[in-house]
Amino acid sequence: MERLPMVGLRLSLKQRYFLLLCFAVGAIIAYQFARNRLEVERMSRVEGLMANSSQFTLERKPFHILGGSIHYFRVPRGYWEDRLLKMKACGLNTLTTYVPWNLHEPERGVFNFEDQLDLEAYLRLAASLGLWVILRPGPYICAEWDLGGLPSWLLRDQNMKLRTTYPGFTAAVNSFFNQLIKKVVSHQYSKGGPIIAVQVENEYGSFARDEDYMPFIKEALLSRGITELLLTSDNRDGLRHGGVKGALETINFQKLNLNDIKYLDGIQPNKPKLVMEYWSGWFDLWGDLHHVYTAEDMIPVVTEILKLGMSINLYMFHGGTNFGFMSGAFAVGIPAPKPMVTSYAQPLPELPSHQERRAYQPVVIHQHLSLWDSLHFTDKPLKSEKPVNMENLPVNNNNGQSYGYTLYETTITSKGILNSKNNIRDRALVFVDKHFVAVLDYKTQELALPDGKKGKRTLSLLVENCGRVNYGKTLDDQRKGLVGDIELNKRPLCDFIIRSLDMKPGFVNRLESSGHWMSMRQRPSFPGFFQARLYVNSFPKDTFIKLPGWSKGVVFINGKNLGRFWSIGPQQTLYVPGPWLHKGDNQVIVFEEQETDGKILFATSPDYGMTVDVQ
């Protein structure tokens, strides 16, 4: 057989240079063509979203906002496209999303806009699917999110006044916006991007502590290049104080009250009306029931809103999950804050291309490690005469501890009555010489310590941050851990050793490689870490973890924090995204406070617990 010549191996040096030159010129032409096409597209955009009459206009044509909220930080990145496609399949044309400051700047001056937090990738995805975007950058977002999205390191300043023009707060906002806004400016409508409107702060009318604050936030956006329509959003009671000149006011509600619409029309005549948050569900609190807002209840309200010619945004279209320690707490009209559950989902009807789920076979715990044996994997402990709250601990490059647990230990020489003076935030397991005694929290603030051996004994308080309040007027009071003295027989305890247990990925990875794990043949002690292996023999699918024989704690899959679980419910399962699993062995670590039956179960459906209708 005749051998064919191998093209390209016998080219002269000049020919090679010529080919390279051709490739380079071609690349430049292609780049310039694409750039020109984008420029033509941008220039062809006559006019963005306007609110100059009773009807929105986009490109000078009447436009109805049919929106839905999906937060990129609550959905695994591998599922962003799936969720947005489902939104578009429902006939919605606009995506709304918050921006969580506390995730993007976990330590002062340390910014993260990568991977799960790649906001620009999320905006590009929305644009590629033909969705417009209303961006809600905060800095405060509420969102049933820890501290309403504000970073906990702000609270290291004992004089901090959040959501005001207090210099310490405005300086931090300016620093964050310097990083954030430059990333979103090019994604505005006028630049060829999907952003048609930007919200100025969030529901400030219900807070309203500083009349100069909203103008400051507005100017912070404008001065950094925001040119699209500005909005504010408030519930009915907040409309009076939540607006700012030059921004369209919008309303939030669940049950339609025509008097509220008339009020909005009265303070803002001849302007389009937008329900910025039509609450399609409600949040759940640990120890309560699961709230359900049925489609039968929603349909007549949504129908009436549209009949009135109003625009609407479903909050949420898809809730997602408060992974890790991100769920907030509720404190309005109740004596003490109540923490929110890990799930943030509302049930939706089945849609096309439904993600397949799998109930994996139960796995058995094969190793355990007591809390006390894990302490050498934590940061260097702090010795302090007085208790120090979580945020002011000298950890994380002096940004304090944000989430998780903090262990306070001191020496006692007598029995007696231990009184928290309501200085525990939020819940403490109390131990004497590593033996569990009781729980102290907002309800139980006093207990009798048991008799024991004479002489010195170690008193340990493992204090959990159950979630900072995300809404209301108590944001400045959300420091966690021990926020004041603890008394024994009416005398303040002193000389503490304090350890941070924020359970970040580095800590969990150090645990996994520890040689201190013990076989389950040896009786475990509590609190403790429990390890198992989930074997996946095919392409990983979504699943839900069930822990019926456990009490309270946190679950980690391959080092990722799935969130809190608590047997008091209502939530009885934890969502495990398929993209967080891989074929073969997957590491499961459970931190459990008090009990276990040694098994982990899996299900194809979530269990949100006993239900109650939203009133």
Side-chain angles (χ1 to χ4, degrees):
M1 178 180 285
E2 182 181 356
R3 294 182 63 188
L4 296 175
M6 297 183 69
V7 178
L9 291 181
R10 300 175 184 270
L11 292 176
S12 68
L13 191 59
K14 284 186 178 181
Q15 288 172 318
R16 291 181 184 181
Y17 279 136
F18 178 73
L19 280 175
L20 286 173
L21 180 62
C22 288
F23 283 132
V25 171
I28 292 171
I29 292 173
Y31 170 76
Q32 192 62 43
F33 176 80
R35 184 175 179 182
N36 290 343
R37 182 176 58 80
L38 290 173
E39 184 65 18
V40 168
E41 180 183 325
R42 186 183 72 80
M43 294 299 291
S44 67
R45 292 188 167 185
V46 180
E47 189 174 77
L49 186 68
M50 304 296 288
N52 295 330
S53 63
S54 59
Q55 177 73 50
F56 285 113
T57 60
L58 183 65
E59 291 287 349
R60 297 180 182 169
K61 298 176 183 177
F63 182 74
H64 255 93
I65 296 170
L66 301 175
S69 293
I70 303 179
H71 299 152
Y72 59 98
F73 48 94
R74 280 183 160 123
V75 177
R77 181 168 177 168
Y79 286 155
W80 284 356
E81 184 172 7
D82 173 78
R83 304 309 192 252
L84 296 190
L85 282 172
K86 286 179 168 64
M87 170 187 282
K88 191 169 183 181
C90 288
L92 302 185
N93 58 26
T94 303
L95 165 69
T96 69
T97 185
Y98 283 132
V99 177
W101 182 5
N102 57 356
L103 291 188
H104 286 294
E105 192 178 3
E107 298 177 7
R108 188 187 291 270
V110 177
F111 300 95
N112 183 3
F113 289 91
E114 299 177 353
D115 302 322
Q116 183 67 44
L117 297 176
D118 191 341
L119 174 57
E120 290 190 88
Y122 194 58
L123 297 173
R124 285 192 293 267
L125 175 62
S128 72
L129 299 178
L131 290 168
W132 302 117
V133 173
I134 295 177
L135 190 69
R136 310 175 77 185
Y140 165 83
I141 61 173
C142 185
E144 289 67 64
W145 196 253
D146 188 272
L147 201 59
L150 302 176
S152 66
W153 46 259
L154 291 167
L155 297 175
R156 289 175 67 82
D157 180 349
Q158 298 301 314
N159 300 313
M160 176 58 65
K161 297 292 182 288
L162 301 173
R163 303 181 75 192
T164 71
T165 51
Y166 172 72
F169 185 70
T170 56
V173 170
N174 281 325
S175 176
F176 175 54
F177 274 13
N178 283 342
Q179 300 299 318
L180 170 65
I181 304 304
K182 70 181 181 182
K183 291 184 175 294
V184 302
V185 161
S186 63
H187 298 279
Q188 294 181 101
Y189 180 88
S190 60
K191 305 288 186 181
I195 297 175
I196 57 174
V198 177
Q199 183 172 297
V200 183
E201 235 262 355
N202 188 60
E203 294 186 320
Y204 196 69
S206 59
F207 193 79
R209 288 191 171 179
D210 186 338
E211 63 182 15
D212 296 324
Y213 177 66
M214 289 293 281
F216 158 71
I217 296 297
K218 176 190 167 187
E219 180 57 27
L221 296 170
L222 295 177
S223 64
R224 289 169 174 83
I226 295 298
T227 58
E228 306 303 329
L229 180 68
L230 296 180
L231 307 169
T232 62
S233 73
D234 285 282
N235 59 33
R236 163 64 175 83
D237 294 335
L239 285 172
R240 183 185 300 273
H241 302 291
V244 61
K245 187 177 180 180
L248 180 74
E249 294 194 57
T250 69
I251 192 169
N252 304 337
F253 60 73
Q254 188 164 66
K255 302 297 175 69
L256 178 63
N257 185 325
L258 292 179
N259 289 329
D260 294 346
I261 306 305
K262 290 178 181 178
Y263 180 79
L264 176 61
D265 221 10
I267 62 174
Q268 191 173 253
N270 301 316
K271 293 289 185 181
K273 289 181 282 294
L274 165 62
V275 185
M276 188 64 201
E277 293 183 11
Y278 173 65
W279 300 322
S280 57
W282 202 246
F283 54 81
D284 292 341
L285 307 175
W286 287 114
D288 287 355
L289 298 175
H290 170 53
H291 292 84
V292 172
Y293 189 42
T294 66
E296 290 74 18
D297 290 329
M298 289 175 58
I299 289 171
V301 182
V302 173
T303 301
E304 186 64 22
I305 289 171
L306 296 178
K307 279 183 178 178
L308 291 170
M310 300 174 66
S311 288
I312 187 172
N313 176 61
L314 302 178
Y315 186 93
M316 301 287 293
F317 174 80
H318 170 64
T321 304
N322 300 316
F323 292 113
F325 297 118
M326 289 297 107
S327 48
F330 183 70
V332 178
I334 56 178
K338 297 192 72 172
M340 295 173 177
V341 302
T342 302
S343 173
Y344 197 57
Q346 292 92 28
L348 288 171
E350 293 294 316
L351 293 169
S353 303
H354 186 67
Q355 290 293 327
E356 186 180 346
R357 299 167 178 170
R358 184 172 173 185
Y360 295 102
Q361 291 297 310
V363 297
V364 176
I365 299 297
H366 63 273
Q367 287 182 311
H368 65 91
L369 177 69
S370 79
L371 169 73
W372 317 107
D373 289 335
S374 75
L375 296 181
H376 62 282
F377 293 113
T378 64
D379 290 331
K380 182 180 178 181
L382 170 69
K383 295 181 179 180
S384 175
E385 180 182 355
K386 296 277 191 177
V388 177
N389 61 285
M390 178 183 284
E391 294 78 7
N392 284 94
L393 292 175
V395 296
N396 298 315
N397 299 313
N398 281 322
N399 284 271
Q401 182 182 346
S402 295
Y403 314 106
Y405 295 75
T406 309
L407 181 66
Y408 297 82
E409 294 189 308
T410 187
T411 300
I412 58 174
T413 56
S414 65
K415 60 180 182 179
I417 302 300
L418 187 69
N419 192 321
S420 72
K421 308 296 290 183
N422 198 27
N423 285 326
I424 287 175
R425 301 286 187 278
D426 299 290
R427 184 175 179 272
L429 302 178
V430 181
F431 303 85
V432 175
D433 287 339
K434 301 180 182 178
H435 295 290
F436 175 68
V437 177
V439 173
L440 291 176
D441 54 21
Y442 292 105
K443 292 181 180 178
T444 304
Q445 300 180 23
E446 195 173 270
L447 63 86
L449 294 181
D451 291 337
K453 64 182 182 181
K454 293 184 178 180
K456 295 181 178 180
R457 296 188 292 169
T458 300
L459 174 71
S460 305
L461 292 92
L462 182 64
V463 183
E464 180 191 7
N465 166 7
C466 294
R468 295 181 183 85
V469 166
N470 55 272
Y471 179 83
K473 298 184 182 293
T474 62
L475 295 180
D476 294 337
D477 303 321
Q478 294 307 302
R479 294 172 182 86
K480 299 297 183 177
L482 294 186
V483 298
D485 285 331
I486 304 294
E487 293 183 352
L488 178 59
N489 299 326
K490 299 185 177 181
R491 301 181 69 174
L493 293 170
C494 59
D495 297 327
F496 286 88
I497 295 177
I498 308 172
R499 289 182 172 88
S500 169
L501 279 155
D502 49 13
M503 300 190 189
K504 288 185 173 181
F507 171 78
V508 177
N509 291 337
R510 290 193 295 273
L511 279 187
E512 181 190 12
S513 60
S514 166
H516 294 265
W517 290 93
M518 302 176 70
S519 166
M520 286 298 286
R521 289 191 295 270
Q522 297 169 287
R523 186 175 180 180
S525 64
F526 296 91
F529 296 89
F530 297 83
Q531 187 169 188
R533 296 283 175 182
L534 168 63
Y535 183 75
V536 176
N537 61 5
S538 60
F539 186 80
K541 304 291 195 300
D542 285 3
T543 190
F544 296 87
I545 278 182
K546 297 184 71 173
L547 298 161
W550 305 63
S551 69
K552 187 179 191 304
V554 189
V555 179
F556 303 86
I557 291 277
N558 295 326
K560 290 183 179 291
N561 189 334
L562 295 183
R564 303 177 177 93
F565 67 91
W566 199 351
S567 60
I568 65 173
Q571 182 177 336
Q572 299 295 328
T573 55
L574 281 175
Y575 172 51
V576 184
W580 290 9
L581 300 172
H582 51 250
K583 191 174 180 180
D585 280 333
N586 293 265
Q587 178 208 63
V588 185
I589 292 181
V590 182
F591 175 69
E592 166 58 49
E593 293 183 3
Q594 291 187 294
E595 65 174 326
T596 177
D597 67 355
K599 296 190 300 294
I600 298 174
L601 308 182
F602 298 89
T604 56
S605 300
D607 181 353
Y608 298 128
M610 294 181 63
T611 63
V612 61
D613 288 344
V614 175
Q615 299 300 315

